[in-house]
Amino acid sequence: MRIGELAGTAGVSVRALRYYEEQGLLTSERTGSGQRTYPPVAVDRVQLIQQLYAAGLTSRTILELLPCVDKGVSTPESRARLAAERERIDQQITGLLATRDRLDAVIAVADDPTHPSCTRI
Amino acid sequence: MRIGELAGTAGVSVRALRYYEEQGLLTSERTGSGQRTYPPVAVDRVQLIQQLYAAGLTSRTILELLPCVDKGVSTPESRARLAAERERIDQQITGLLATRDRLDAVIAVADDPTHPSCTRI
DNA sequence: CTAAAACCTGACGTTGACGTCAGAGGCAAG
DNA sequence: CTTGCCTCTGACGTCAACGTCAGGTTTTAG
């Protein structure tokens, strides 16, 4: 498949795909005229990249960890990095749970004008 | 307290505090010479702001929602915004849980050389 | 064959939450 | 008094993940 189809299927922009390649996260074959060609499995790869971005990892970190994900290849450094990122995500989840609870409390008050805590201050 | 002490106590930079004030998220009294002064409760306010930033809210959104948190004041718009942000955070948590599980699987392979899917060097 | 649509490289623009620097004034200690 | 840290305003710098535009080539539909 070509870049436009991959972009549409994976739900990202064409620009993003070229950026991923520039960062070394995604590879492509080229046709004789220079156009990029991808195998169907590239869709999964792109979605993995998106998932890692969404978790707050940077391009460089993803680049470091992709060999582990791809082939189970690991060095002491990459294992440490994996553990560190896992820990970071865990703390992020914990923080978000707390924030969600806090928002829930605010919503409860906002939706119920008769709520007792409306008389604070 | 002055800005340096607040920054130290709340764990943020002096620059950040001035930025929060610039965005309307934080208020301060001024001494005759123009220096900012904060009440002790400002520490909590700053930490709340940090928590909302960490949850991915923008300054503008936080500005919109602070009246709800502060005084339970709410409009139909702010209630919708609260619900939308809560939903966004919820989806973010869901995504992070999936990512964490995925990382855990990768870590399990990386940490166990005898794992079948592991063909390391 | 031709025109639209998709693709290419290269390069500058965007956004948000600050960092950092410059230049000037304020404040407690010795 | 003056030394040294804190604070002020204003303004430019940063960084990451793209967006967007220019100018040109390639592929596809009719």
Side-chain angles (χ1 to χ4, degrees), chain B residues 2-22:
Chain B
R2 290 193 303 171
I3 197 170
E5 189 183 350
L6 176 57
T9 308
V12 304
S13 70
V14 167
R15 177 66 175 93
L17 295 181
R18 289 199 270 252
Y19 176 73
Y20 298 164
E21 182 169 333
E22 185 184 325

Side-chain angles (χ1 to χ4, degrees), chain B residues 50-66:
Chain B
Q50 284 284 108
Q51 185 177 18
L52 295 179
Y53 273 132
L57 281 75
T58 138
S59 293
R60 204 172 67 79
T61 304
I62 296 176
L63 184 59
E64 268 185 62
L65 300 185
L66 275 182

Side-chain angles (χ1 to χ4, degrees), chain A residues 83-117:
Chain A
E85 293 300 330
R86 196 223 112 97
E87 180 61 19
R88 205 184 47 69
I89 291 173
D90 209 57
Q91 293 192 9
Q92 199 175 339
I93 291 171
T94 302
L96 285 176
L97 287 171
T99 306
R100 190 182 65 178
D101 287 349
R102 192 156 190 177
L103 269 190
D104 280 343
V106 174
I107 289 171
V109 175
D111 285 350
D112 176 17
T114 71
H115 194 281
S117 74

Side-chain angles (χ1 to χ4, degrees), chain A residues 8-72:
Chain A
T9 307
V12 304
S13 70
V14 166
R15 177 66 175 94
L17 295 180
R18 289 200 269 249
Y19 176 73
Y20 299 162
E21 182 169 333
E22 185 184 325
Q23 299 299 306
L25 307 178
L26 184 64
T27 59
S28 63
E29 297 296 311
R30 297 297 185 113
T31 69
S33 62
Q35 300 206 347
R36 292 173 178 84
T37 300
Y38 303 92
V41 72
V43 175
D44 299 335
R45 160 62 59 119
V46 171
Q47 286 172 348
L48 169 62
I49 295 173
Q50 285 283 108
Q51 183 176 18
L52 295 178
Y53 273 134
L57 280 75
T58 134
S59 293
R60 205 173 65 81
T61 305
I62 296 177
L63 184 58
E64 267 185 64
L65 300 185
L66 274 182
C68 307
V69 181
D70 283 344
K71 298 176 286 185

Side-chain angles (χ1 to χ4, degrees), chain B residues 5-120:
Chain B
E5 189 183 350
L6 176 57
T9 308
V12 304
S13 70
V14 167
R15 177 66 175 93
L17 295 181
R18 289 199 270 252
Y19 176 73
Y20 298 164
E21 182 169 333
E22 185 184 325
Q23 300 299 307
L25 307 179
L26 184 64
T27 59
S28 63
E29 297 296 311
R30 297 297 186 115
T31 69
S33 61
Q35 299 205 348
R36 293 174 178 82
T37 300
Y38 303 90
V41 72
V43 176
D44 298 335
R45 159 62 60 122
V46 171
Q47 286 173 349
L48 168 61
I49 294 172
Q50 284 284 108
Q51 185 177 18
L52 295 179
Y53 273 132
L57 281 75
T58 138
S59 293
R60 204 172 67 79
T61 304
I62 296 176
L63 184 59
E64 268 185 62
L65 300 185
L66 275 182
C68 307
V69 181
D70 284 343
K71 298 175 285 186
V73 173
S74 71
T75 66
E77 296 79 31
S78 69
R79 278 191 291 272
R81 199 57 173 275
L82 279 168
E85 292 301 331
R86 196 223 112 99
E87 179 62 18
R88 206 184 47 70
I89 291 173
D90 209 56
Q91 292 192 9
Q92 199 175 340
I93 292 171
T94 303
L96 285 176
L97 287 172
T99 306
R100 189 181 65 178
D101 287 349
R102 191 155 189 176
L103 269 191
D104 281 342
V106 174
I107 289 171
V109 174
D111 284 351
D112 175 16
T114 71
H115 193 281
S117 74
C118 193
T119 55
R120 325 189 277 173

